[in-house]
Amino acid sequence: MSLSVAVLMDPIRSIKIAKDSTFAMLLEAQRRGHALFYMEQGDLALREGRAFARLRPLSVVEDPSGWFCLDDPQWRPLSDMNIVLARKDPPVDSQFIYDTMVLERAQREGTLVVNDPRSLRDCNEKLFALDFPQCIAPTIVARDASELKRFVAEHGEAVLKPLDGMGGRGIFRVRHGDSNLNSMLETLLDGARHFAIAQKYIPEITSGDKRILLIDGEPVPYALARIPQGDEFRGNLAAGGRGEGVPLSERDRWIAAQVAPELRRRGLRFVGLDVIGDYLTEINVTSPTCIRELDAQFGLNIAGMLFDAIEAQ
């Protein structure tokens, strides 16, 4: 059965197709005969309480010299779409929140939105992991610099992060007594106007920050270990990390099983868990990546697994 699939994403002209998970989803949807439509944040609207979007018919091709073609836009009710793939990258700012409110209207009108827009609002990728204390390393979230400094002193070494970053941006590794700690906290907290998160440093980062993908709560059997290179402590691919596929460990599967029921309850159909050593560090719900790397290394079709789950509903 042919379906209408709309995607909300960052500008498609700027993506790197060899690494882009949204592009993998679009290729798979097109292969199945579904009609594709494209929109960006500025294309959403509400008309008399109904969700509308300025939609452009889209076709895609695996060609780095020209990977998409867009036809003329047309304003249409989002209820005309069977599926909306909500794939806008962070930051989760006020405009992102408003997007989810429009998408929630479409959901009420019968469109399946992946991932659930309310959960995109509620499940901050750094804070959501704290719902599973049995899975995480010691962690604190605060605006107060003295609390964060106390945490660093208690654990000796920690990683500091903003709550709205991605790709490793704004992350600091710090030791107790580091003369740069005050400056780091000034940057992150901005005069107590922003929260920051501190996690106990996990030495196993040298073996990789594993990205585990879950579809309807079921883990893909392989993870992408993003291994720091040179003198860099961050494993993020955007920060120069090397991606190496690895089978899931028993601990990985245990963490996935702990998290899965809540993901299903919240309508989070496609999720990326970040695991370092034995610890869950983040739960990525907005636009998880690593499909293409795992597909290439293990001959998988993860986007196909996702569309099997979507079509089953």
Side-chain angles (χ1 to χ4, degrees), residues 23-226:
F23 189 71
M25 295 176 190
L26 295 173
L27 285 171
E28 178 63 20
Q30 182 175 270
R31 187 187 68 78
R32 293 177 179 230
H34 300 327
L36 297 181
F37 297 87
Y38 171 85
M39 57 181 165
E40 298 176 16
Q41 282 186 293
D43 296 318
L44 290 171
L46 290 171
R47 292 185 183 177
E48 287 143 4
R50 296 190 65 199
F52 274 72
R54 183 169 49 205
L55 296 168
R56 302 185 68 176
L58 168 68
S59 59
V60 289
V61 63
E62 188 87 73
D63 182 352
S65 67
W67 54 90
F68 70 97
C69 181
L70 291 169
D71 288 339
D72 293 335
Q74 182 180 4
W75 284 99
R76 296 178 61 177
L78 273 177
S79 59
D80 287 355
M81 300 293 107
N82 301 110
I83 301 160
V84 170
L85 301 174
R87 294 283 302 173
K88 174 70 181 68
D89 285 343
V92 179
D93 55 14
S94 60
Q95 299 311 307
F96 186 104
I97 297 299
Y98 300 146
D99 292 343
T100 67
M101 293 176 179
V102 177
L103 294 178
E104 193 170 9
R105 298 290 182 110
Q107 186 180 58
R108 290 178 199 158
E109 295 165 8
T111 299
L112 176 63
V113 183
V114 180
N115 284 318
D116 183 278
R118 179 181 292 272
S119 294
L120 291 178
R121 279 200 305 276
D122 292 349
C123 299
N124 176 275
E125 299 186 329
K126 309 295 191 295
L127 296 181
F128 190 22
L130 275 66
D131 284 8
F132 308 94
Q134 71 275 27
C135 300
I136 65 173
T139 302
I140 188 172
V141 179
R143 293 188 187 193
D144 182 77
S146 62
E147 266 297 278
L148 293 163
K149 286 194 279 190
R150 180 198 60 77
F151 181 90
V152 174
E154 177 183 353
H155 295 285
E157 191 167 6
V159 172
L160 305 174
K161 307 177 187 179
L163 291 187
D164 61 354
M166 64 169 290
R169 291 194 294 270
I171 297 179
F172 301 96
R173 176 183 173 184
V174 62
R175 295 178 177 86
H176 176 52
D178 191 324
S179 60
N180 290 312
L181 178 55
N182 286 333
S183 179
M184 294 175 191
L185 292 175
E186 287 172 8
T187 299
L188 288 169
L189 301 177
D190 189 22
R193 283 187 284 272
H194 301 297
F195 277 105
I197 185 168
Q199 295 171 329
K200 181 180 178 181
Y201 176 71
I202 305 168
E204 289 82 0
I205 183 61
T206 56
S207 299
D209 179 356
K210 286 183 284 189
R211 167 60 55 83
I212 301 170
L213 297 177
L214 279 73
I215 296 170
D216 277 352
E218 292 296 323
V220 173
Y222 300 94
L224 192 74
R226 297 159 298 172

Side-chain angles (χ1 to χ4, degrees), residues 162-295:
L163 291 187
D164 61 354
M166 64 169 290
R169 291 194 294 270
I171 297 179
F172 301 96
R173 176 183 173 184
V174 62
R175 295 178 177 86
H176 176 52
D178 191 324
S179 60
N180 290 312
L181 178 55
N182 286 333
S183 179
M184 294 175 191
L185 292 175
E186 287 172 8
T187 299
L188 288 169
L189 301 177
D190 189 22
R193 283 187 284 272
H194 301 297
F195 277 105
I197 185 168
Q199 295 171 329
K200 181 180 178 181
Y201 176 71
I202 305 168
E204 289 82 0
I205 183 61
T206 56
S207 299
D209 179 356
K210 286 183 284 189
R211 167 60 55 83
I212 301 170
L213 297 177
L214 279 73
I215 296 170
D216 277 352
E218 292 296 323
V220 173
Y222 300 94
L224 192 74
R226 297 159 298 172
I227 302 170
Q229 300 296 292
D231 59 359
E232 176 61 74
F233 81 94
R234 298 170 298 174
N236 309 75
L237 299 182
R242 176 175 60 85
E244 180 180 312
V246 295
L248 298 190
S249 68
E250 287 303 311
R251 175 69 177 185
D252 295 336
R253 293 182 182 277
W254 179 82
I255 290 172
Q258 296 294 301
V259 174
E262 185 66 7
L263 300 182
R264 295 189 190 104
R265 187 184 75 80
R266 289 179 175 270
L268 291 167
R269 293 183 165 274
F270 186 67
V271 169
L273 307 183
D274 288 351
V275 173
I276 302 174
D278 288 338
Y279 299 107
L280 174 68
T281 60
E282 294 185 15
I283 303 178
N284 295 270
V285 302
T286 53
S287 55
T289 60
C290 298
I291 284 180
R292 307 224 75 187
E293 294 88 347
L294 288 171
D295 281 356

